[in-house]
Amino acid sequence: MGNKSNSGQAGHEPVRLDKWLWAARFYRTRTISQEAIDGGKVRYEGERAKASKTVQVGARIELRQGYDDLEVVVKALSEHRGNATLARTLYEETEASRRKREAMAEQKRIEAASFDSVRPDKRQRRLLEKLRRTLIDTGHDH
């Protein structure tokens, strides 16, 4: 079993979780992949897993990638990192995960757009400062 001959055949050889995440291009290096797993940012079938966990086709993997939480189903196995098009064939994001990710992105866009309009202009700042001084002078400051 320690023999690695023909390990390029997808789906025929056991693949470690850290290698699969790296091959599927979720993380830039295997070291980062291992750190994410060890840090609890990756769950395999709903449970924390070790980097050496063997990945099975059909397994559900939850992971954090940047600010996004993703849930994917394993479609194929590979321990070799290929191009992005090939990597995308190794998994499929669940519909619930995609909807949640898109909703979070929309919420971030709305918050970013509304943040600028909340800031008071020069006239409003002067009025607020005048109000604060009035409250302090009349003893309404807590």
Side-chain angles (χ1 to χ4, degrees):
M1 191 170 224
N3 187 359
K4 289 193 173 186
S5 63
N6 263 348
S7 62
Q9 295 175 345
H12 297 293
E13 297 278 329
V15 178
R16 292 170 48 109
L17 180 58
D18 61 335
K19 280 188 177 183
W20 186 86
L21 290 169
W22 169 75
R25 293 183 164 262
F26 287 110
Y27 301 105
R28 281 184 316 197
T29 66
R30 278 194 52 210
T31 302
I32 294 171
S33 177
Q34 289 172 334
E35 289 169 357
I37 294 167
D38 293 341
K41 291 177 175 62
V42 177
R43 299 179 77 74
Y44 184 87
E45 292 293 345
E47 297 181 11
R48 267 184 92 152
K50 293 184 179 180
S52 60
K53 174 76 176 167
T54 302
V55 177
Q56 302 291 324
V57 173
R60 187 176 47 86
I61 298 176
E62 301 164 37
L63 61 120
R64 173 159 285 229
Q65 191 177 32
Y67 293 107
D68 294 328
D69 290 322
L70 301 173
E71 182 177 330
V72 299
V73 176
V74 177
K75 293 293 182 186
L77 303 177
S78 177
E79 63 179 24
H80 300 287
R81 189 174 173 103
N83 62 34
T85 306
L86 177 65
R88 187 69 180 100
T89 65
L90 299 179
Y91 64 91
E92 181 179 347
E93 185 176 9
T94 64
E95 186 65 27
S97 173
R98 189 176 54 73
R99 280 196 310 268
K100 183 178 174 185
R101 185 173 46 80
E102 289 171 353
M104 290 296 290
E106 182 64 25
Q107 183 179 352
K108 286 178 192 173
R109 269 194 297 280
I110 291 170
E111 287 174 1
S114 67
F115 182 73
D116 293 337
S117 63
V118 174
R119 188 173 175 177
D121 61 17
K122 188 173 185 176
R123 181 176 178 273
Q124 291 169 331
R125 284 195 303 274
R126 285 180 177 165
L127 288 171
L128 284 170
E129 185 57 36
K130 183 178 179 182
L131 177 63
R132 281 190 201 108
R133 277 188 263 128
T134 305
L135 290 173
I136 291 171
D137 292 344
T138 60
H140 287 92
D141 186 36
H142 295 295

